[in-house]
Amino acid sequence: MQQWEAVIGIETHAQLATQAKIFSGSPIAFGAEPNLQANAIDIALPGVLPVLNRAAVECAIRFGLAVGGKIAPRSVFARKNYFYPDLPKGYQISQYELPVVVGGSLLIPAGESDKEIRLTRAHLEEDAGKSLHEGAGQHFRGCSGIDLNRAGTPLLEIVSEPDMRSAIEAVAYAKALHALVRWIGICDGNMQEGSFRCDANVSVRPAGRQEFGTRREIKNLNSFRFLQQAIDYEIQWQIATLEDGGRIGQATVLFDPETGETRSMRSKEDAHDYRYFPDPDLLPLVIEESWIAEIRAQLPELPAAKRERLIADYGLPAYDAKVLTASLDIAKYFETAVTVAGAAHAKTCANWVMVDLAARLNREGREIGESPVSAQQLGSLIARIADGTLSTSLAREVFDALWTGQGASADEVIAARGLQQISDSTELEKLIDDVLSGSASLVAEFRSGKEKAFNALVGQTMKATRGKANPQRVSELLRRKLG
Amino acid sequence: MALTREQVHRIAHLARIEISDAEADRTLEQLNDIFALIAEMQAVDTSGVEPMAHAQDVAQRLRADQITEVDQLTRRTAFQLIAPQTEDGLYLVPKVIE
Amino acid sequence: MIERSLREIASSLAERRISSVELTRLYLDRIARHNPALNAFITIDEEASLAQARAADERLRRGDAGPLTGIPIAHKDIFCSEGWLTTCGSRMLANFVSPYDASVIARFRAAGAVLLGKTNMDEFAMGSSNETSFFGPVRNPWDLTRVPGGSSGGSAAAVAARLAPAATGTDTGGSIRQPAALCNLTGMKPTYGVVSRYGMIAFASSLDQGGPLARSAEDCAVMLSAMAGFDDRDSTSLDRPAEDFFRDLVSDRGSRPLSGLRIGLPAEFFDAGCDREIIELVDAAVADYRRLGAETVSISLPNMRLSVPAYYVIAPAEASSNLARFDGVRYGYRAAEYHDLIDMYRKTRAQGFGAEVKRRILIGTYVLSHGYYDAYYLQAQRIRRLIANDFAEAFRQCDVIAGPTSPTTAFRLGEKAADPVQMYLSDIYTIAVNLAGLPAVSIPCGFAAGLPAGLQLIGNYFTEARLLDVAHRYQMVTGWHLQHPRGFDSED
């Protein structure tokens, strides 16, 4: 039987985290009433002109630096001409021949090792508006409604080389890219709101052949799950078509999550002829070396470098390092906590961030940036575990109190509730004497050789201290007294 | 080089301008006259000449990332007063098929 | 009053010898009387104009007046004016009341000038005769059977017939200078980037530039001082210190004020393509310049012959894209009947645009389309570079280039309307200036068979003040610019 190989390239539109639009002073916040965030420029009144937003360019430079691409010293905005009601000017301002970022690459996990996915380019462009169709709670008597709030939102279109060979690799790439754009703060990554959307170019070829097959482009995949489903479906469909003796025609298709299938877009049936030419309303974008240097200096340590460092500096396992660098917020939280708790307790910090904190955040559907317990608070809590003040169970109680706002710091909660472990021997000895005198039968059992009775006596003592005693200490003292 | 009637129809479609066969024929004649005028330019050897897109050799100026828009509802009302068809703040067009 | 310069009008207003309301009323009355014959205006709004005049009178009373406060100015209907119909001469925008002001309009408002009315123009500024306007052709006040030139024909006819003291225009390939020549006016196209394009409805973005049409170089200087200036809403606006374009005009430099000025005479401007009588008038003007102290040098602009072909690639290409926004969705015309979205687009644009605009959109769509871009658009941009280089070379040998503005005087209505190529060639002397982005002025230099002819003076980048001075020195010793058409005299 014929073996097939899939070839996949991904184009990603990342909405840039600016305040205003790329060519106008309108806000880009999501969810406003229709057309309230569309000014004269966004609705393309006659005579209006674009002026480029500096922050959008900064985002592109950050990205270029983060993927090791080349920042073009001179790039050019071009007009992509086509008619569509959500495209108010009748053209989209984009970059064509001279994009702002050229090349670069991204590592994705592939089996045991990492695989490098090369990037072709990244360019700045504006988003279109939205067409709302009859049915979605709207009824415009056979019409579509046009909302231009999104028109002019800054996008970075990131184009990969066709370096992926399976849907799994494609998803790994999309996830790595998603994490990176959030890490460097250029995109909020909100896929439901469309801040991060992927188009997948998929083709198949007989295994071992050099030339690519004809590709079909799946548009607008706004979740990793859909990305995987759509590519899997498309690969199977293309293989089945070819094995049935059919041919693949170049096409733009949409993925239907309901049916799990892809279908051709009618609006794209027109032969594409976008008539690109340099936008005469915008001058060449010139990026000086000094500006790049300034941005490079502000760039956070990148995930791969940080991973290496967490392993080297704190002796963390590779798994922990990977989890703690899933986002810049997590990494920052962890590192702040470690600074407060002390580097020697990094593993304890890692465990708390990865287990206790993560579980609580997850349960309440919060991001780490919204954690009621700050990294400083957690760090000081861990310091109290480390110095023996708190047992693990007491620490959880303090954590809970901090989470619900019943104290400003671990020490404050400990003091207010008298939660310090009782390590003081005189006080403990007195308590133990009381327990022993009230548990004659257990003492007798222990002396007759039943080790289980000893554990019961430890438990009794802990209970008498309401958990505040240091269990090691209790055990030591009990042995001494009974021995 | 002369255009064909099919080419005229194709570019008219790209430009979204309805054109009848009779108009296409008339237009074809005029466009061919104009392209004959343009042909003089095409004969010139311009190898090594840098294309000139702008009159001034200046770099793009950059705007600060600031929201400059206020009073959005009043503005939308003013904008939609001059629109052919709107409803609930949306511009209406014949149904879009994706 | 109607023959007074802008500076004289300003002092009459300042000295309260006339009020802005009286002055505005005077011009509105003249428009009411003479516009039906000329069709120079598309929109007049007496109440709005008089309200502005009253506000200007208040400013004058407060002593808070500038050089244009209270003076009525006509604006080409290509400049968006808040609350005013702004049609660009097209059915497409025949119902478009602009919700915002173009930067140029805002500058005139801030200066306290009165918006007298919106002037007729070739549709979307595409034309050289003002015959492509949806609102009908404009007639030349010097001969009502002839065209005023275009595309700023309404502004030119209005100022020539003294229906406005001065007007704005725009010039993409000669649209200020050619009508100025055909109507005996002084009209200036500034260096590209000097006047903001924000709110000026785009024809060919890399060539369009606003400028004044007035009765003298002196008036142009006053107008340009109001129009010019950096605008952060236009990426192509040049960030330069504000200029007083009047500054050189006032100095007394004796009987040979232009000593040391080198005027370049390009052989290509004086060829067989130009009417003999016009060449004679230009030669006579050059002789006048020698008497004023200038010397002349022969120069060459070898690629100028390629300017018309290059222009008719670049301008339609940009226009085809600029005019894509007129789709019947957000403003302007929408066809009454259609059966789906594409049909709506096609019918709206077929009915909303006139023949010349559609022709140019089709040319532009073609030259940008797949497989033709390099041969047409890129080649035209390379030719553009060659033409700009020619000028750079010429300005090493001279300070100002002189020649005819237009190869003919005003032609008859309908004479060239059926032949686009003949029409395009009427801009043969003006187009190269737009491709290079240079400043140029057209000034009256005499009459051929009773029709005015224009002398074009082209300067190097940012030499507007110098060009206006050179024009002004000529106007100090000649009277051509003072001639005005008969039948539009002051009634008092």
Side-chain angles (χ1 to χ4, degrees), chain A residues 29-49:
Chain A
F30 181 82
E33 288 287 303
N35 291 307
L36 283 186
Q37 297 189 356
N39 75 357
I41 294 166
D42 309 321
I43 70 165
L45 284 180
V48 297
L49 294 170

Side-chain angles (χ1 to χ4, degrees), chain A residues 3-7 165 203-209 235 239:
Chain A
Q3 289 293 302
W4 295 92
E5 180 181 57
V7 175
R165 296 291 173 266
S203 65
V204 298
R205 61 183 172 189
R209 185 182 287 180
I235 292 171
I239 291 172

Side-chain angles (χ1 to χ4, degrees), chain A residues 402-426:
Chain A
L402 290 172
W403 187 278
T404 49
Q406 299 171 58
S409 70
D411 288 344
E412 198 183 302
V413 176
I414 292 165
R417 302 192 172 190
L419 290 180
Q420 294 94 329
Q421 287 191 124
I422 304 168
S423 301
D424 176 26
S425 299
T426 1

Side-chain angles (χ1 to χ4, degrees), chain B residues 55-58, chain C residues 171 176-177 188-197 200 206-212 224 227-229 234 236-238 240 243 245 384 395 433-434 436-441 457-467:
Chain B
Q56 306 288 342
D57 188 17
V58 184
Chain C
D171 190 317
I176 289 174
R177 291 161 288 157
M188 172 167 251
K189 176 224 163 307
T191 304
Y192 182 85
V194 161
V195 171
S196 170
R197 293 186 301 114
M200 193 177 103
S206 77
L207 305 168
D208 297 342
Q209 187 61 198
L224 189 59
M227 295 176 81
D234 174 0
T236 61
S237 172
L238 297 166
R240 295 167 53 80
E243 256 189 277
F245 295 99
R384 186 175 183 183
F395 284 122
V433 168
N434 298 79
L438 293 165
V441 62
L457 300 168
I458 305 166
N460 209 340
Y461 299 106
F462 309 115
T463 58
E464 286 80 2
R466 186 80 221 267
L467 273 181

Side-chain angles (χ1 to χ4, degrees), chain A residues 43-44 46-47 50 79 81 85 88, chain C residues 100 199 235 321-322 325 330-331 345:
Chain A
I43 70 165
R79 294 185 182 176
N81 295 284
Chain C
Y100 81 108
S235 293
S321 177
N322 283 333
R325 69 188 57 198
R330 297 164 314 284
Y331 46 78
Y345 282 151

Side-chain angles (χ1 to χ4, degrees), chain C residues 8-338:
Chain C
E8 288 164 348
I9 297 173
S11 34
S12 296
L13 286 163
E15 289 158 17
R16 324 288 313 136
R17 279 183 275 130
I18 189 168
S19 72
S20 177
V21 168
E22 287 164 336
L23 187 66
T24 302
R25 174 75 67 200
L26 169 79
Y27 281 104
L28 288 171
D29 288 348
R30 289 185 59 77
I31 291 167
R33 191 152 51 243
H34 297 297
N35 191 54
L38 294 172
N39 197 26
F41 286 87
I42 292 174
T43 304
I44 293 295
D45 183 340
E46 297 205 357
E47 272 180 39
S49 298
L50 289 168
Q52 289 185 25
R54 281 191 289 276
D57 280 330
E58 186 50 42
R59 263 180 82 165
L60 285 155
R61 248 191 304 281
R62 286 201 309 268
D64 169 27
L68 284 170
T69 308
I71 301 182
I73 301 291
H75 292 290
K76 186 175 181 178
D77 209 19
I78 199 168
F79 290 102
C80 287
S81 321
E82 189 172 347
W84 288 71
L85 204 56
T86 300
T87 70
C88 222
S90 181
R91 182 184 195 189
M92 190 59 93
L93 291 176
N95 62 357
F96 179 70
V97 176
S98 177
Y100 81 108
D101 270 341
S103 293
V104 161
I105 298 292
R107 293 181 75 96
F108 276 101
R109 277 199 212 266
V114 173
L115 204 173
L116 181 61
K118 305 293 295 288
T119 61
N120 203 343
M121 57 181 284
D122 277 303
E123 184 179 9
F124 285 103
M126 298 178 193
S128 309
S129 67
N130 222 301
E131 291 166 292
T132 72
S133 170
F134 174 66
F135 300 90
V138 177
R139 288 163 188 275
N140 191 319
W142 292 90
D143 179 344
L144 295 178
T145 68
R146 291 176 188 270
V147 303
S151 63
S152 311
S155 286
V159 179
R162 307 322 193 222
L163 305 191
T168 55
T170 61
D171 190 317
T172 304
S175 283
I176 289 174
R177 291 161 288 157
Q178 186 253 17
L182 271 47
C183 292
N184 207 46
L185 296 177
T186 303
M188 172 167 251
K189 176 224 163 307
T191 304
Y192 182 85
V194 161
V195 171
S196 170
R197 293 186 301 114
Y198 191 83
M200 193 177 103
I201 300 175
F203 160 19
S205 311
S206 77
L207 305 168
D208 297 342
Q209 187 61 198
L213 280 144
R215 289 162 294 143
S216 67
E218 192 193 310
D219 283 1
C220 275
V222 174
M223 287 286 284
L224 189 59
S225 297
M227 295 176 81
F230 174 64
D231 180 6
D232 63 9
R233 290 178 296 181
D234 174 0
S235 293
T236 61
S237 172
L238 297 166
D239 195 355
R240 295 167 53 80
E243 256 189 277
D244 173 11
F245 295 99
F246 211 81
R247 63 179 187 263
D248 291 341
L249 275 58
V250 287
S251 67
D252 182 2
R253 294 200 294 267
S255 63
R256 290 173 65 81
L258 296 179
S259 288
L261 180 79
R262 296 167 303 164
I263 297 181
L265 303 172
E268 294 80 4
F269 273 50
F270 297 87
D271 61 5
C274 189
D275 282 0
R276 191 70 244 146
E277 291 160 296
I278 291 184
I279 290 197
E280 283 165 13
L281 291 170
V282 169
D283 284 342
V286 169
D288 287 335
Y289 269 112
R290 286 197 197 94
R291 278 188 285 279
L292 287 166
E295 52 181 292
T296 54
V297 287
S298 294
I299 58 161
S300 176
L301 299 168
N303 293 293
M304 211 197 69
R305 69 190 165 84
L306 302 173
S307 61
V308 173
Y311 178 87
Y312 278 97
V313 171
I314 292 170
E318 294 183 6
S320 71
S321 177
N322 283 333
L323 271 59
R325 69 188 57 198
F326 302 105
D327 59 3
V329 176
R330 297 164 314 284
Y331 46 78
Y333 181 77
R334 181 190 282 198
E337 283 174 30
Y338 43 82

